[in-house]
Amino acid sequence: MNISKSGQITINGISGSPGICIGKAYIVDREGVNLIKRYPVSDALVPKEIDRFKQAVLKAKNDHAKIIDSLDKDLGENLNILETHMVLFKDKMLYGKTIDTISNEKINAEWALRKVSREVKAMFQQIDDIYLQARVNDIVQVSDKIMSYLVGAQDIKISDINKRVIIVAHDLSPADASQIQLERIKGFVTDRGGKDSHTSIVAKSLKIPAILGLGIATISIKNDDILIVDGSSGTLIINPEEDTLFDYEDRLTRFEEYRAGLERESHLPAITKDGISLNLMANIELVEEVVGAKDYGAIDIGLFRTEFLYLDLKRFPTEDELLSKYKELVELMTPQSVTIRTLDINGDKVNPYLTAIEEANPSLGLRAVRFCLENEDIFITQLKAIFRAAAFGNIKLLIPMISCVEEIVQVKQVINKAILELELEKKIFNKDIPLGVMIEIPSAVIIAEHLAEHVDFFSIGTNDLIQYSMAIDRQNRRVAHLYQALNPAVLRMIKMTCDAAKKKGIDLVMCGEMAGDPINMPVLVGMGLTDFSMNSVSIPAVKKMIRSLDTKKAKKTVKKIMTLSCVQDIFNFILEEYKDIFPFDKLAE
């Protein structure tokens, strides 16, 4: 936090949704939810305490249902998120375990709920997947909603706000965010939350600026303070100086012009100025996201994360259950392709019916393909479902976290077993689908040419590649500044992978977050990448950037960048070289 002599305060958080807004602060919070006491409950009163918990859940669930009913059914993705929360109200990991804790430990419902929600949160945070870790917020938000009824706290009533303000809160659930009326709420800032949280997704869909993860916003801001919210850079300015205010008013005007132009041109193809056509695809985790992906212009599904059905069911799904979801997805996309990534999770940490194996560092432990190879029956079940679904559409098979040739050889042996089982069972399936591996571990980059001899395509997963290359935990605020996509070491690994794929004649796609940031496009296009998969909402801005690029100039850009040794030098060079065409959201930073 920086404080100027005039009293202007600047706090940096996480960009939740791009854009700029200027206005007065309106603080909302659930007073009392965090003030939880622990007290014993006698045997005779345990049933009454359990009933009190059930009534709180029922009230919270009914409130949530009213919010869903009040929303426009065309809101698609927002409704899917809220319906996911509806399921969590009766989730066994939260609901069932809280009741068990009240009964077994003979403690009050508030303390039992707090204890269970923290245990579930800790369990999810051990999973080394940024998207799954972001789901922790869903659990916390549902727990807080129930808690507010247990402690009698005043709930947030965003729908009752009747003036143009910027919301300031410790946290906002997707249900809270969905109540926002655009003619009244300019934007919001929260202490909690992250870039890939569902609250961020809702903010982006509403197209209002949001900053999350500020930590100290609610204790630094008073009602009616003047705020500047720069959602593009994650910068919050409290009580700005006059010059700062004028500067951001100008930025706001330019951003609105930029966004209007983006929307007008969103239907245009991703073709460079010199006629090179690029393929932009969508990363999704739910079948319901297909409609949004198509609306944003995705030509294919470049990454379908398969973990969520396993988490929703709280058990390993059957082959037929998996087939049903995969078949629905490919039929929605046909004739376009769907790349299905096999289970990428540290399974024993999530599934309580497995024997727990404690790992000092789960990020370096039994996750993704390692887990699948050790649990071959689970792996074969998923593979069989994928091959069966491939009879109904265009599927590519993607294996995560490959670190050596031996692993992909083992994977292909298991694939052959799955195919043999399908043949013996006389099931309809298609075994002739492209096989790819994720390049997300430095060792895979180094041996990329050897791996290429065993597969049809590479998919560069930059999220993990950056994390493992820089030896940082991207969730750790103390080292998060080192998580830089434009780090020279990261760029060299991407270039090595591109060169290996080209030399061996296999396809290459980038599916990490790096692909969805327009500032990276000159470098990636200059390296020869033509296929990118990203969150759907990023596609229009990336398309606009691509249409402004010349591939010959981009190749020269890469040659120069490869001589630079610092991230900031690379960043500044790109901004200067492309200052006439660069999207507003980076110039505003």
Side-chain angles (χ1 to χ4, degrees):
M1 180 170 71
N2 295 319
I3 305 176
S4 71
K5 291 180 181 179
S6 67
Q8 172 180 298
I9 300 172
T10 303
I11 309 174
N12 292 315
I14 298 166
S15 171
S17 178
I20 292 172
C21 63
I22 302 169
K24 288 186 176 181
Y26 187 101
I27 298 175
V28 294
D29 217 339
R30 293 186 174 91
E31 298 261 341
V33 169
N34 293 315
L35 305 176
I36 306 301
K37 293 183 179 180
R38 183 187 191 281
Y39 56 85
V41 176
S42 66
D43 287 341
L45 292 178
V46 164
K48 186 176 180 181
E49 194 67 13
I50 290 174
D51 185 62
R52 191 167 72 87
F53 171 70
K54 289 181 177 179
Q55 289 302 312
V57 172
L58 181 62
K59 289 176 182 177
K61 191 176 179 182
N62 288 342
D63 263 7
H64 198 75
K66 289 177 183 176
I67 291 171
I68 292 175
D69 290 342
S70 70
L71 294 177
D72 188 331
K73 298 306 177 186
D74 292 332
L75 286 177
E77 189 171 23
N78 295 0
L79 288 173
N80 292 331
I81 294 169
L82 297 182
E83 285 162 0
T84 298
H85 278 208
M86 183 66 85
V87 173
L88 283 175
F89 280 109
K90 284 296 182 78
D91 178 80
K92 289 181 181 178
M93 295 175 75
L94 193 65
Y95 181 82
K97 284 190 176 181
T98 300
I99 291 173
D100 290 343
T101 302
I102 296 169
S103 180
N104 296 335
E105 299 185 21
K106 297 178 175 55
I107 55 173
N108 58 306
E110 294 91 341
W111 193 265
L113 176 60
R114 175 60 55 86
K115 179 182 179 181
V116 169
S117 64
R118 283 177 174 172
E119 288 174 353
V120 175
K121 178 179 177 180
M123 182 173 65
F124 268 74
Q125 285 178 329
Q126 290 181 69
I127 306 167
D128 190 52
D129 185 306
I130 192 168
Y131 300 99
L132 294 180
Q133 287 175 346
R135 301 295 82 82
V136 167
N137 284 337
D138 300 331
I139 295 162
V140 171
Q141 288 159 351
V142 168
S143 174
D144 281 353
K145 188 80 173 177
I146 298 168
M147 190 72 76
S148 68
Y149 279 100
L150 284 172
V151 301
Q154 181 64 41
D155 200 13
I156 297 172
K157 293 292 183 184
I158 290 174
S159 58
D160 293 342
I161 297 174
N162 59 6
K163 52 186 176 180
R164 291 278 287 165
V165 292
I166 296 170
I167 291 175
V168 180
H170 183 59
D171 194 16
L172 287 179
S173 71
D176 298 327
S178 294
Q179 295 179 64
I180 287 174
Q181 298 180 46
L182 298 180
E183 69 273 14
R184 295 176 183 173
I185 309 302
K186 294 183 174 184
F188 65 81
V189 298
T190 63
D191 292 333
R192 281 182 179 175
K195 186 175 182 180
D196 297 293
S197 67
H198 277 151
T199 305
S200 173
I201 293 171
V202 173
K204 287 173 182 173
S205 68
L206 292 171
K207 298 180 182 176
I208 62 171
I211 305 173
L212 313 177
L214 285 159
I216 56 172
T218 52
I219 62 174
S220 304
I221 300 170
K222 300 187 295 293
N223 269 324
D224 294 329
D225 276 351
I226 300 299
L227 304 181
I228 296 174
V229 176
D230 184 348
S232 301
S233 65
T235 302
L236 172 69
I237 301 174
I238 306 167
N239 295 323
E241 299 167 352
E242 190 172 333
D243 287 348
T244 305
L245 200 56
F246 287 149
D247 177 38
Y248 272 91
E249 284 174 344
D250 180 56
R251 293 188 189 204
L252 174 57
T253 300
R254 288 189 290 124
F255 180 82
E256 288 175 345
E257 290 172 353
Y258 164 72
R259 174 171 275 170
L262 199 63
E263 291 179 356
R264 283 195 303 270
E265 299 172 1
S266 61
H267 66 285
L268 298 175
I271 298 177
T272 63
K273 288 171 70 176
D274 52 338
I276 304 300
S277 181
L278 305 183
N279 302 311
L280 301 190
M281 298 167 277
N283 297 339
I284 67 170
E285 53 204 40
L286 300 169
V287 173
E288 292 78 8
E289 294 178 74
V290 167
V291 174
K294 287 186 173 182
D295 287 344
Y296 281 111
I299 64 165
D300 295 312
I301 300 301
L303 176 64
F304 176 55
R305 304 181 185 95
T306 59
E307 293 75 49
F308 295 92
L309 180 57
Y310 292 77
L311 296 176
D312 286 346
L313 293 175
K314 305 302 177 294
R315 60 174 171 79
F316 288 111
T318 65
E319 182 185 322
D320 285 341
E321 286 171 331
L322 290 171
L323 171 63
S324 176
K325 279 293 180 185
Y326 301 160
K327 181 173 176 285
E328 181 184 359
L329 174 59
V330 297
E331 286 182 335
L332 284 170
M333 287 301 298
T334 297
Q336 297 161 282
S337 70
V338 175
T339 300
I340 299 180
R341 185 181 70 184
T342 55
L343 189 59
D344 185 3
I345 205 169
N346 193 337
D348 59 291
K349 297 295 182 184
V350 176
N351 298 284
Y353 46 83
L354 286 179
T355 302
I357 302 171
E358 185 159 347
E359 295 183 297
N361 193 337
S363 299
L364 305 179
L366 192 71
R367 56 163 292 205
V369 72
R370 301 170 182 177
F371 172 82
C372 288
L373 289 174
E374 187 162 304
N375 296 273
E376 195 174 285
D377 56 333
I378 296 166
F379 195 21
I380 285 177
T381 296
Q382 183 175 33
L383 290 171
K384 288 169 70 177
I386 291 170
F387 287 126
R388 290 175 67 188
F392 299 92
N394 188 358
I395 286 181
K396 298 177 182 178
L397 177 63
L398 180 60
I399 311 297
M401 207 179 175
I402 290 292
S403 62
C404 58
V405 169
E406 288 86 346
E407 283 175 334
I408 192 60
V409 169
Q410 281 184 269
V411 166
K412 293 176 88 168
Q413 290 170 349
V414 178
I415 287 174
N416 288 334
K417 289 181 183 179
I419 291 171
L420 180 59
E421 286 189 19
L422 289 170
E423 288 173 342
L424 293 173
E425 292 163 0
K426 296 186 175 158
K427 290 177 177 174
I428 298 171
F429 69 99
N430 177 14
K431 66 179 179 180
D432 298 318
I433 62 176
L435 172 65
V437 293
M438 294 280 288
I439 302 295
E440 52 191 342
I441 299 177
S443 66
V445 175
I446 295 166
I447 61 165
E449 286 190 25
H450 297 306
L451 290 173
E453 294 172 359
H454 297 269
V455 296
D456 302 298
F457 69 98
F458 286 156
S459 186
I460 304 177
T462 54
N463 301 354
D464 272 333
L465 184 60
I466 297 168
Q467 174 171 263
Y468 287 128
S469 300
M470 302 305 298
I472 60 167
D473 176 0
R474 59 193 172 205
Q475 301 296 316
N476 186 332
R477 286 184 172 273
R478 293 185 175 183
V479 295
H481 63 283
L482 296 172
Y483 185 84
Q484 299 282 352
L486 292 175
N487 184 285
V490 174
L491 296 182
R492 278 167 172 72
M493 283 189 289
I494 294 170
K495 182 69 163 57
M496 287 172 64
T497 306
C498 290
D499 291 344
K502 184 176 180 180
K503 181 177 179 180
K504 293 295 182 177
I506 68 169
D507 293 334
L508 175 68
V509 62
M510 176 178 284
C511 68
E513 290 298 308
M514 186 177 181
D517 192 337
I519 195 171
N520 302 321
M521 280 299 114
V523 185
L524 300 177
V525 171
M527 288 183 182
L529 277 156
T530 58
D531 294 77
F532 305 93
S533 193
M534 62 201 70
N535 291 331
S536 300
V537 294
S538 301
I539 291 175
V542 172
K543 284 173 73 175
K544 182 177 178 67
M545 185 61 183
I546 287 168
R547 290 194 298 272
S548 302
L549 290 178
D550 179 280
T551 56
K552 297 181 186 67
K553 180 180 177 181
K555 287 176 183 177
K556 291 179 182 177
T557 298
V558 169
K559 285 183 180 179
K560 172 62 178 176
I561 282 173
M562 288 305 185
T563 68
L564 302 176
S565 59
C566 298
V567 175
Q568 194 60 49
D569 290 344
I570 293 171
F571 186 86
N572 291 341
F573 176 77
I574 295 172
L575 285 185
E576 178 61 29
E577 197 72 10
Y578 293 91
K579 60 185 177 184
D580 295 332
I581 63 172
F582 218 80
F584 171 84
D585 58 340
K586 285 297 173 187
L587 292 176
E589 291 187 13

